[in-house]
């Protein structure tokens, strides 16, 4: 898929699961679980043990069925290793100019992180395809997204942090392009117990909430 197609798929699905796990096996199981719940996109963070290998394994086993991205990518060298493993998009919690330049040079979608209006504008002007607003829940949640979208309607924002089943609809209605959801979807307890069905059911709920919120907004 090219960058335009990947962008469309992320927006269409509306949820980007942020996979943080204590083992490679847990991360792979989590990715399979959210996919079974209708979310065919996953962000494997570089904090997962053997993250690059996990990305390569998911790309190999799940093929074109799932968009596999790399998260917590902090520099261009890390980005290069992720792309070599087959990652189809890159996500960072903050803004690193060299990483954005590298992604742009490779024609790969990148979501750079930002928080303040100045940081959001800087990331967007540098070539970030989406701007990840992180940690959004700590600075007002959906109300903060709405405030940012007032003067910056052209910038597609993906809030991460503070997104849960109770707030997801508010974030969509506030103008979010999609939602980054971590521990409120990839439950640590479910990973530990091996109850992947719980994650699958949560994925279904998030997809439904996003769809309904968009319909109500329209």
């Amino acid at each position: 898929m090219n960058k335009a197609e990947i962008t469309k798929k992320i927006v269409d699905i509306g949820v980007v699961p942020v996979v943080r796990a204590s083992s490679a096996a847990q991360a792979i199981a989590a990715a399979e679980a959210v996919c079974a719940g209708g979310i065919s996109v996953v962000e494997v963070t570089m904090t997962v043990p053997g993250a690059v290998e996990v990305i390569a394994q998911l790309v190999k086993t799940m093929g074109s069925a799932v968009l596999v991205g790399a998260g917590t990518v902090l520099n261009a060298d890390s980005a290069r290793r992720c792309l070599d493993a087959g990652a189809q998009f890159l996500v960072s919690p903050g803004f690193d100019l060299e990483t954005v330049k590298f992604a742009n040079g490779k024609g790969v979608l990148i979501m750079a992180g930002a928080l303040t209006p100045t940081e959001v504008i800087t990331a967007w002007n540098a070539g970030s395809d989406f701007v990840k607003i992180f940690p959004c829940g700590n600075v007002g949640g959906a109300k903060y997204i709405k405030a940012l979208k007032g003067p910056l309607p052209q910038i597609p924002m993906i809030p991460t942090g503070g997104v849960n089943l109770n707030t997801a609809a508010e974030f969509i209605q506030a103008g979010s392009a999609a939602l980054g959801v971590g521990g409120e979807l990839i439950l640590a307890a479910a990973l530990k117990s091996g109850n992947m069905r719980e994650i699958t059911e949560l994925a279904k709920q998030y997809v439904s909430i996003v769809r309904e919120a968009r319909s109500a907004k329209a």
Side-chain angles (χ1 to χ4, degrees):
M1 298 176 75
N2 61 37
K3 186 158 72 168
E5 291 169 334
I6 291 172
T7 299
K8 184 179 185 302
K9 184 165 185 175
I10 288 172
V11 171
D12 286 349
I13 295 170
V15 181
V16 179
V18 182
V19 177
R20 297 187 186 280
S22 58
S23 72
Q26 285 185 356
I28 291 171
E32 293 172 344
V34 295
C35 183
I39 302 176
S40 55
V41 57
V42 64
E43 171 193 333
V44 178
T45 67
M46 294 300 285
T47 58
V48 173
V52 173
E53 289 74 23
V54 170
I55 290 169
Q57 180 67 19
L58 287 173
V59 170
K60 180 180 179 181
T61 59
M62 303 188 86
S64 59
V66 179
L67 279 179
V68 181
T72 322
V73 178
L74 305 181
N75 52 58
D77 180 62
S78 179
R80 182 178 293 104
R81 289 188 289 117
C82 291
L83 295 189
D84 287 345
Q88 293 166 286
F89 64 91
L90 303 169
V91 187
S92 175
F95 171 67
D96 178 71
L97 179 58
E98 292 308 312
T99 305
V100 174
K101 283 183 176 179
F102 173 78
N104 287 337
K106 295 292 185 179
V108 174
L109 185 148
I110 184 165
M111 309 176 193
L115 191 60
T116 68
T118 297
E119 292 170 351
V120 172
I121 294 167
T122 300
W124 178 247
N125 286 341
S128 187
D129 300 285
F130 293 93
V131 178
K132 171 178 175 172
I133 309 301
F134 175 79
C136 195
N138 297 69
V139 293
K143 291 181 179 178
Y144 187 62
I145 294 295
K146 186 175 182 179
L148 287 174
K149 291 293 288 187
L152 304 170
Q154 77 280 19
I155 301 180
M157 302 178 193
I158 299 182
T160 307
V163 181
N164 55 49
L165 291 177
N166 295 323
T167 62
E170 296 173 8
F171 274 109
I172 291 296
Q173 290 163 356
S176 303
L179 308 175
V181 191
E184 297 288 349
L185 170 55
I186 313 296
L187 301 178
L191 291 178
K192 188 174 182 180
S193 68
N195 183 12
M196 294 300 109
R197 185 178 300 175
E198 189 172 3
I199 294 175
T200 295
E201 289 306 312
L202 281 173
K204 292 178 181 178
Q205 290 181 60
Y206 277 103
V207 169
S208 178
I209 289 170
V210 168
R211 186 183 301 117
E212 290 174 10
R214 285 174 170 170
S215 296
K217 185 181 177 185

